[in-house]
């Protein structure tokens, strides 16, 4: 069997795709934008974590509660400053993130072992102040519990009487598994980069050539139709694979530069993990271009073919969003579900687990079979007059 025409067509489509600078710039901008958004979010999380560790608390009426104020000053990373006279107005005008206001009857109620009143003024719409608010609340809760225990001891009552349960939270997930739940959104951006990279060649080499009337001369050549569509598909697969690898490489570099530990994230993405992610997503580089090429056969123009890509964009985006809320790990049946299997395996890699060889092989074979089916259907369309003269 002579497959030289197939190679020629694939090389020709790749050359045409590389000449389209606008498409390359669009792909690069899309990848960079998604990565920069993720980087900005993680950097903000790290900044908020640092802000919570080193918190300055403005206290109004501090002379009314010297014991509480002294206790707060003794806590690590806490600085007490004098609060504004109008605590509510200061927070409303964004002059302070959080203000602790001690009420005038605090000293009398505290000495009588009553519940003394304090108020915390904050603005829930200011995200920068939320870590400080949570830190202050946790500190006051600790002071509350310690003071209550001391009052009971003074009265000869064991603090354990009012604490029937001693609750200890044990998180069995390691730091990398917890980090994976935050970084799962990266997988969706990688999948979108893969699809965007393959979409240009898959749609332009079918609907685009049909619109430019350059498809008919190609079909006049004595070449089997399956070789023509397969050559175009191989070129789209190469572009999709390159887009996926470039996206993963960029995310790897970005994550290595971010202060993830400040955000409470311990994450390692080395060469082994990158290779496993490539192996997990590689089946999509076979499947997505085949579907796009088949759908583009029904389009009369390149723009119309691009509009058909929504049939793939929505499932890819929805599956990516779903994977950030619902764990896909440990479910063997996902190996036979396209896209879900890729997200499940890639999620395992981010969590520090190695996908089984059987799952990788099954997912790859399944993607190849489905791609072959769509290529067969596209080859049939290429064998009809409708591909030239319309529907």
């Amino acid at each position: 069997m002579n497959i030289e025409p197939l190679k020629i067509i694939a090389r020709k489509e790749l050359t045409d795709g590389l000449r389209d600078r606008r498409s390359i710039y669009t792909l690069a901008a899309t990848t960079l934008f998604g990565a920069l958004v993720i980087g900005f979010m993680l950097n903000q999380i790290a900044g908020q974590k640092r802000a919570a560790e080193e918190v300055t608390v403005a206290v109004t009426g501090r002379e009314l509660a010297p014991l509480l104020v002294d206790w707060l000053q003794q806590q690590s990373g806490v600085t007490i400053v004098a609060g504004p006279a109008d605590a509510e107005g200061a927070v409303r005008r964004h002059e302070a993130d959080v203000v602790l206001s001690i009420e005038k009857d605090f000293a009398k109620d505290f000495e009588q072992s009553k519940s003394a009143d304090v108020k915390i003024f904050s603005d829930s719409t200011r995200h920068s102040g939320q870590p400080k608010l949570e830190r202050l609340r946790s500190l006051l809760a600790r002071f509350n519990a310690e003071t209550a225990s001391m009052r009971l001891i003074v009265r000869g009552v064991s603090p354990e009487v009012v604490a029937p349960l001693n609750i200890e939270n044990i998180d069995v997930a390691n730091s990398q598994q917890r980090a994976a739940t935050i970084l799962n959104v990266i997988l969706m951006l990688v999948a979108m980069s893969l699809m965007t990279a393959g979409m240009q060649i898959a749609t332009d080499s079918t609907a685009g050539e049909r619109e430019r009337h350059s498809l008919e001369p190609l079909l006049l050549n004595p070449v089997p139709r399956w070789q023509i569509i397969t050559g175009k598909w191989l070129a789209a697969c190469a572009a999709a694979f390159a887009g996926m690898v470039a996206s993963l490489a960029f995310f790897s570099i970005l994550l290595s530069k971010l202060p993830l530990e400040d955000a409470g994230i311990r994450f390692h993405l080395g060469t082994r993990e990158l290779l496993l992610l490539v192996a997990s997503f590689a089946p999509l580089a076979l499947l997505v271009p085949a579907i796009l090429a088949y759908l583009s056969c029904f389009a009369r123009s390149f723009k119309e073919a691009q509009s058909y890509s929504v049939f793939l964009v929505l499932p890819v985006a929805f599956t990516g969003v779903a994977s950030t809320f619902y764990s896909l790990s440990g479910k063997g049946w996902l190996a036979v579900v396209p896209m879900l299997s890729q997200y499940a395996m890639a999620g395992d890699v981010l969590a520090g687990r190695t996908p089984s060889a059987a799952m990788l092989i099954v997912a790859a074979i399944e993607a190849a079979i489905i791609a072959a089916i769509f290529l067969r259907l596209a080859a049939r369309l290429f064998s009809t007059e409708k591909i030239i003269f319309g529907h």
Side-chain angles (χ1 to χ4, degrees):
M1 181 177 61
N2 183 17
I3 61 171
E4 190 62 27
L6 188 151
K7 295 180 182 178
I8 294 173
I9 293 171
R11 186 165 57 247
K12 174 258 184 188
E13 298 299 347
L14 274 175
T15 303
D16 289 344
L18 291 174
R19 286 173 178 168
D20 191 350
R21 300 294 178 85
R22 286 181 298 179
S23 298
I24 295 176
Y25 293 153
T26 300
L27 174 61
T30 303
T31 303
L32 288 174
F33 178 76
L36 291 176
V37 169
I38 295 297
F40 175 77
M41 291 172 56
L42 292 175
N43 196 53
Q44 287 295 107
I45 293 174
Q48 291 181 1
K49 289 282 186 179
R50 289 193 297 266
E53 293 173 358
E54 301 292 334
V55 59
T56 299
V57 181
V59 180
T60 300
R62 55 187 300 180
E63 69 281 355
L64 301 174
L67 182 64
L68 172 59
V69 173
D70 290 343
W71 184 89
L72 288 173
Q73 286 179 324
Q74 294 172 9
Q75 306 310 304
S76 175
V78 177
T79 303
I80 301 298
V81 297
D86 182 11
E88 181 177 353
V91 174
R92 194 184 302 277
R93 293 188 298 270
H94 298 171
E95 296 173 0
D97 290 327
V98 178
V99 176
L100 175 64
S101 176
I102 299 174
E103 300 301 288
K104 60 181 180 179
D105 293 332
F106 181 95
K108 181 178 67 174
D109 292 337
F110 192 83
E111 290 175 359
Q112 296 177 1
S113 298
K114 295 181 180 180
S115 296
D117 294 332
V118 296
K119 293 180 180 179
I120 301 176
F121 292 92
S122 65
D123 187 347
S124 60
T125 62
R126 296 193 68 191
H127 298 292
S128 60
Q130 295 309 302
K132 299 178 183 179
L133 175 63
E134 294 302 321
R135 179 79 191 282
L136 178 58
R137 283 177 174 172
S138 65
L139 289 173
L140 293 178
R142 279 180 50 199
F143 178 81
N144 217 23
E146 291 179 12
T147 304
S149 297
M150 294 298 298
R151 287 177 177 179
L152 290 173
I153 292 172
V154 169
R155 289 164 174 74
V157 179
S158 172
E160 295 182 357
V161 173
V162 294
L165 298 178
N166 184 22
I167 301 173
E168 182 180 2
N169 293 318
I170 301 175
D171 189 353
V172 299
N174 58 40
S175 58
Q176 182 146 348
Q177 290 171 343
R178 291 192 294 270
T181 60
I182 299 175
L183 300 177
N184 261 347
V185 67
I186 291 177
L187 303 180
M188 181 181 68
L189 295 176
V190 171
M192 295 298 290
S193 296
L194 180 154
M195 190 182 71
T196 304
M199 179 176 62
Q200 172 63 23
I201 294 180
T203 54
D204 186 68
S205 63
T206 50
E209 290 192 359
R210 180 183 180 183
E211 183 181 14
R212 295 190 297 270
H213 304 291
S214 59
L215 184 60
E216 183 176 1
L218 178 62
L219 295 177
L220 290 175
N221 290 280
V223 179
R225 297 298 185 258
W226 70 267
Q227 287 195 2
I228 294 177
I229 190 64
T230 303
K232 296 176 180 294
W233 169 72
L234 286 175
C237 287
F241 189 83
M244 173 191 66
V245 172
S247 180
L248 285 173
F250 188 79
F251 275 117
S252 176
I253 296 172
L254 178 67
L255 292 176
S256 67
K257 303 297 183 182
L258 291 175
L260 296 180
E261 291 189 359
D262 291 345
I265 298 175
R266 292 184 179 180
F267 185 74
H268 176 70
L269 190 62
T271 304
R272 177 179 176 274
E273 287 76 18
L274 284 174
L275 291 176
L276 285 172
L277 286 174
V278 169
S280 299
F281 274 113
L284 278 184
L286 302 177
L287 179 59
V288 169
I291 298 176
L292 288 172
Y294 172 70
L295 293 176
S296 299
C297 291
F298 295 96
R300 295 181 177 86
S301 64
F302 177 70
K303 287 186 177 181
E304 184 180 348
Q306 285 187 317
S307 67
Y308 290 164
S309 65
V310 71
F311 293 108
L312 275 181
V313 172
L314 290 179
V316 169
F318 176 78
T319 307
V321 172
S323 67
T324 62
F325 294 99
Y326 303 99
S327 175
L328 302 178
S329 176
K331 298 178 176 62
W333 59 270
L334 289 176
V336 298
V337 182
M339 279 192 277
L340 279 179
S341 58
Q342 278 70 55
Y343 278 110
M345 292 185 294
D348 284 342
V349 175
L350 290 183
R353 296 184 291 264
T354 302
S356 66
M359 192 170 185
L360 287 168
I361 294 172
V362 170
I365 294 175
E366 179 197 42
I369 292 174
I370 297 176
I373 293 173
F374 277 100
L375 290 177
R376 177 68 175 174
L377 295 173
R380 286 186 177 180
L381 291 175
F382 267 52
S383 301
T384 65
E385 295 181 352
K386 291 181 180 179
I387 197 68
I388 299 298
F389 300 109
H391 300 278

